[in-house]
Amino acid sequence: MAMNDSANILNSAYLAVEYIDSFLPDNPLQQPFKNAWNYMLDNYTKFQIATWGSLLVHEVSYFLLCVPGFIFQFIPFMQKYKIQPDKPETWEKQWKCFKTLLFNHFFIQLPLICGTYYFTEYFNIPYGWEEMPRWYILVGQCFGCAVIEDAWHYFLHRLLHHKRIYKYIHKVHHEFVSPFGMQAEYAHPLETLILGAGFFIGIVVFCNHVVLLWAWVICRLMETIDVHSGYDVPLNPLHLVPFYAGARFHDFHHMNFIGNYASTFTWWDRLFGTDSQFIAYQEKERKKQCVTKKKAN
Ligand SMILES: [Zn+2]
Ligand SMILES: [Zn+2]
């Protein structure tokens, strides 16, 4: 009965979105995107697309998404949005981070990416333009992937903080108390494998086209680079996502080491009370700000 109700709700939601979509103007980028997609299909093999295409999407997205946060450190105006202003980024830290990232990307993640082609072949995942899901289906699938990854991340991340194993694996990611965007994937190779596994579960559940792999990579990178950026910038569109944790939430985890274990959403930490220190800290900061304002007046 409950399953039937859920299916009905999902079906109604799908029909409602489809109805709204029929009133939206045509996407002017659709034709150029279609041409580019078909050019790729005509000129490259499935293996090349799945392997080198996925690597390119990951590398380009990762470093492009790091650019805004990287530039903020040189703009004095942006410093008022830095969450831990007393701990600025240094060249030494960023260079060290960059070198480790390249190692992780090419020696840990690339071998995993090489499995993409075999995954799509095994499950008969299509590559064609005609089979590509509509944008609202892709958005729903990416959200579903994020919900699954977030649950995986919460429990495994919490486990990695266990005092008997913390120093062997997760300590690497916590080397920088005040995070910066590039640090998002700065981790011990084993952590890349353990926490990274959560990325693939949603793919196995939802994947009905190779484009989901790339859309989900971009969404996940947007989220993880944003929460590590070290800046809480106003009007950040990611905060439109319901229950989105954001940069202050994860920055506190790096500052405090305890609590705020989830990657994307706030619900697991709320449910298990692991955000209590964060809530108390925010309250203390609010009171401090009120006192400062009163003094200024
Ligand atoms: Zn941690
Ligand atoms: Zn982190």
Side-chain angles (χ1 to χ4, degrees), residues 154 158 258-261 266-279:
Y154 178 82
R158 213 174 148 177
I258 298 163
N260 293 10
Y261 298 108
T266 50
W267 49 59
W268 287 110
D269 282 289
R270 193 76 289 274
L271 192 67
F272 289 101
T274 41
D275 60 356
S276 55
Q277 293 192 13
F278 176 58
I279 291 169

Side-chain angles (χ1 to χ4, degrees), residues 248-267:
R248 278 192 187 275
F249 188 89
H250 194 67
D251 212 282
F252 180 79
H253 176 72
H254 277 266
M255 192 178 86
N256 193 54
F257 296 97
I258 298 163
N260 293 10
Y261 298 108
S263 58
T264 311
F265 303 109
T266 50
W267 49 59

